[in-house]
Amino acid sequence: MPRRHDPERRQRIIDAAIRVVGAKGIAGLSHRSAAAEADVPLGSTTYHFKTLDELLVAALRQANEGFAKAVAASGAFEDPRADLAAELARLLGDWLAGERTGVELEYELYLAALRRPALRPVAAEWCRGVTDLLVPRTDPVTARALVALMDGICLQVLLTGGTYDEAYAREMLGRLLAPARERPGA
């Protein structure tokens, strides 16, 4: 029997994996669960993704695109007069105010890199990508610190079930961006 041409199958499997992780967590993801969710034969998942880690890498890469795309699309990063702290705080607020399951999923995949070394390069790519977007407005060290602070703020909101405080985020991001002589307590 000739093979049916299905150019979208790989993408459907990735989308299905993201839905499975969103519903059941990473522990609920298997080639079988992804195949069932994508409505494809089990062999299709193992054809496109030899290991479960390969599937998780593809899912993490896709999930990571959300915030980085929002940062890249913001015009404030090219405008030296724009308030970078305010823009980053607004973007975080928009992202956290969106579909919460998607944000939780992105962080679940991101944090899975702690136990799955295959995911670490993808998590590092995300950090580097956002850092690289910020470097034109600040130095590389400060850009990395901004990414770390944004990660911390997001994790605190997600883990505590709290609400995002944009004014607090703007102030803390602003402190990182302020020259040392302008920082409170300096």
Side-chain angles (χ1 to χ4, degrees):
M1 181 173 209
R3 178 180 268 189
R4 196 174 115 217
H5 181 66
D6 186 358
E8 302 299 319
R9 186 171 288 194
R10 184 178 193 285
Q11 184 59 52
R12 284 202 325 272
I13 294 168
I14 295 169
D15 293 341
I18 289 172
R19 288 192 302 274
V20 169
V21 172
K24 300 176 184 177
I26 287 179
L29 181 64
S30 65
H31 278 99
R32 189 173 304 282
S33 65
E37 180 67 26
D39 194 25
V40 300
L42 177 59
S44 289
T45 62
T46 57
Y47 172 79
H48 289 286
F49 305 98
K50 302 292 182 232
T51 67
L52 199 54
D53 279 350
E54 285 181 23
L55 180 54
L56 282 168
V57 164
L60 178 56
R61 214 169 243 128
Q62 182 168 311
N64 278 348
E65 293 174 353
F67 187 71
K69 280 184 180 177
V71 171
S74 174
F77 301 102
E78 288 89 35
D79 182 358
R81 296 162 301 174
D83 183 342
L84 184 57
E87 183 63 11
L88 288 171
R90 182 194 65 75
L91 286 169
L92 280 179
D94 291 349
W95 189 57
L96 288 167
E99 211 265 294
R100 189 69 164 240
T101 304
V103 175
E104 290 170 358
L105 165 73
E106 189 168 334
Y107 267 96
E108 184 168 0
L109 287 167
Y110 181 66
L111 291 173
L114 291 171
R115 301 268 186 229
R116 294 183 179 262
L119 297 177
R120 290 180 187 159
V122 182
E125 281 173 22
W126 181 87
C127 291
R128 271 192 312 275
V130 176
T131 298
D132 290 347
L133 291 170
L134 297 174
V135 166
R137 289 290 312 274
T138 187
D139 63 275
V141 173
T142 302
R144 283 181 45 218
L146 290 167
V147 171
L149 177 59
M150 291 185 296
D151 261 348
I153 290 171
C154 289
L155 280 171
Q156 286 179 358
V157 169
L158 293 171
L159 294 174
T160 65
T163 56
Y164 174 68
D165 183 345
E166 188 172 324
Y168 167 79
R170 185 176 52 249
E171 180 180 340
M172 294 303 107
L173 291 163
R175 287 182 183 194
L176 280 177
L177 289 163
R181 65 185 176 284
E182 295 177 21
R183 291 185 188 135

